[in-house]
Amino acid sequence: MDPIRCGDCGAPFGLRPDGLFRCDGKQPHELDPRDIDLDGCDVWAVNAAGTLVIVADPAVSAEWAREALDTYLEDEPDSWGEHDSMRSFLEAVDDLLDASRAGLPLPNTP
């Protein structure tokens, strides 16, 4: 979970009562949620401290976890592939936990 930082001063953005975000730099800059444009599988959220953060999309992380677990179960015991699959699974679960800590709901599993 990485904070989204102001492009002008590098300070993290915090949530304001009106729903906009403001950095806490010497000259505060504002950010409208409609102006947040993330690439790939990332989404934005507000963590418990009120800071704007980037996390992996929980639906994508859940799919990565399922795929890694399937691969793990197919790999030879004590092989490099088995260890790599477990590492991938744990990374995906860590991403899910980050998203949950940021207040995003976990996806329903089929």
Side-chain angles (χ1 to χ4, degrees):
M1 182 171 13
D2 296 316
I4 295 179
R5 298 189 174 275
C6 177
D8 294 318
C9 68
F13 283 99
L15 181 63
R16 292 184 355 181
D18 63 1
L20 295 176
F21 299 99
R22 178 181 285 164
C23 72
D24 57 2
K26 289 185 179 182
Q27 293 182 323
H29 301 95
E30 294 182 350
L31 177 65
D32 190 301
R34 295 174 293 192
D35 295 332
I36 301 171
D37 184 25
L38 301 175
D39 295 329
C41 300
D42 292 330
V43 295
W44 65 268
V46 177
N47 66 14
T51 302
L52 182 62
V53 295
I54 299 173
V55 296
D57 184 332
V60 173
S61 296
E63 181 60 29
W64 288 343
R66 281 191 291 276
E67 289 174 5
L69 187 57
D70 288 344
T71 303
Y72 173 81
L73 294 173
E74 295 170 358
D75 285 329
E76 291 292 320
D78 293 325
S79 68
W80 177 86
E82 182 185 58
H83 294 285
D84 188 55
S85 298
M86 181 53 68
R87 180 195 52 76
S88 296
F89 173 76
L90 293 173
E91 286 177 2
V93 169
D94 190 47
D95 287 344
L96 280 168
L97 291 172
D98 279 347
S100 178
R101 283 186 211 108
L104 295 176
L106 297 178
N108 293 330
T109 55

